[in-house]
Amino acid sequence: MSISRTLLGLLENEPSYGYTLKHRYDELFARTKTLAFGQVYATLGRLERDGYAEVVGVETGEGPERRRYAITTEGVAELDTWIRTPEPATAFAQSTLFVKTTLALLSGRPPREVLDAQRGVHLARMRELTKARTRADDIDRLAVDYEIAHLDADLRWIEEASERLEHRDRAKNKGNRP
Amino acid sequence: MSISRTLLGLLENEPSYGYTLKHRYDELFARTKTLAFGQVYATLGRLERDGYAEVVGVETGEGPERRRYAITTEGVAELDTWIRTPEPATAFAQSTLFVKTTLALLSGRPPREVLDAQRGVHLARMRELTKARTRADDIDRLAVDYEIAHLDADLRWIEEASERLEHRDRAKNKGNRP
DNA sequence: GACGACTATTCACCCGGCGTATAGTCCTCG
DNA sequence: CGAGGACTATACGCCGGGTGAATAGTCGTC
């Protein structure tokens, strides 16, 4: 999901310490999992190396250095093209659910169990989200709606796949009884 | 998407060389991007280290060794629980499209442009897929339908986000004219 | 017999993700 | 007062995932 460009985006708003950046990121984007500190500093190092960010002040006030980072003009340019360039539309082509279902089919395991199990956790999350949705502000609601839309898509696909596989089984059994 | 478990799943069907495994994987799952050889061998090494796969024959027929891998009983057990355990339902909580839109909002860039650009490539992919769907066998069709469902979800969200943001803008402009 | 296509593997590098260690400051509560 | 806990801030090391280039033998064919 490109942590590095996201952090660059936050840096554009205001120069920050890695520490602050981490918390800002969590507030905005960490709905399920927070960012690790280690990753922030590693990423900042790469951004600096690539000329997209620079240190604009080191406070060595007895203790660990506090280094404030700012975005550079090249950084702004890079961020700009990243934001403007759409993601490849093939992002949904690889799905774990599909792989598991396929492998189940290939190996003689009942794919129904795979699909049913996934439906279970999806429905639970769905209930959670619809509850959360009512007390969400507008930007949060955008995020919640995004997730709901894709859970819904997954659930629809699960139904359809279940039906189609069942249908196929019935056809096969019919053929086996002469 | 767990390449390692997927390869384990293919190994369960029949013991194979890394090379063969790579091609088998590509046939089944590489709809948009093929697997790199390097990754296959690295992954096989880890599977062996963890006791999930083992070398069952080295052919040293003048030239590079050809090493045939097979799944172990622990490998089968691991694969089994992987297939049966549903994925966390929070997989859709982090989306690049949402991040870009949010960053655009925060930085005063028009989010419309982000959404419009993404809609463009999504629609193009959608046309491609609906064409491919008619001449796809049943397992391929499952994959195509999966992708279509999620593109559709993304497109619906794009529409809704556009509308909501526009609405918000109008409300703001109204408020600014006393 | 030279050249391209195919089988098969290795190596080196980078990014992303996670856990832990370090170290000073500031508050608070007994 | 001072011991402990919370908070600000950074560094380090390890692992898995992902990519590209290098190596090397075989087989067909023109």
Side-chain angles (χ1 to χ4, degrees), chain A residues 95-107 109-112 114-115 157-158 161 165, chain B residues 29 82-83 139 142:
Chain A
S95 128
T96 307
L97 181 55
F98 173 74
V99 170
K100 286 186 179 178
T101 309
T102 307
L103 287 179
L105 276 172
L106 289 182
S107 64
R109 292 178 176 84
R112 273 293 298 267
V114 176
L115 296 171
W157 182 83
I158 288 174
L165 292 173
Chain B
F29 301 117
W82 180 70
I83 289 184
I139 197 150
L142 274 183

Side-chain angles (χ1 to χ4, degrees), chain A residues 17-19 41 65-67:
Chain A
Y17 303 124
Y19 185 87
Y41 294 106
E65 299 184 324
R66 311 172 64 211
R67 320 211 272 130

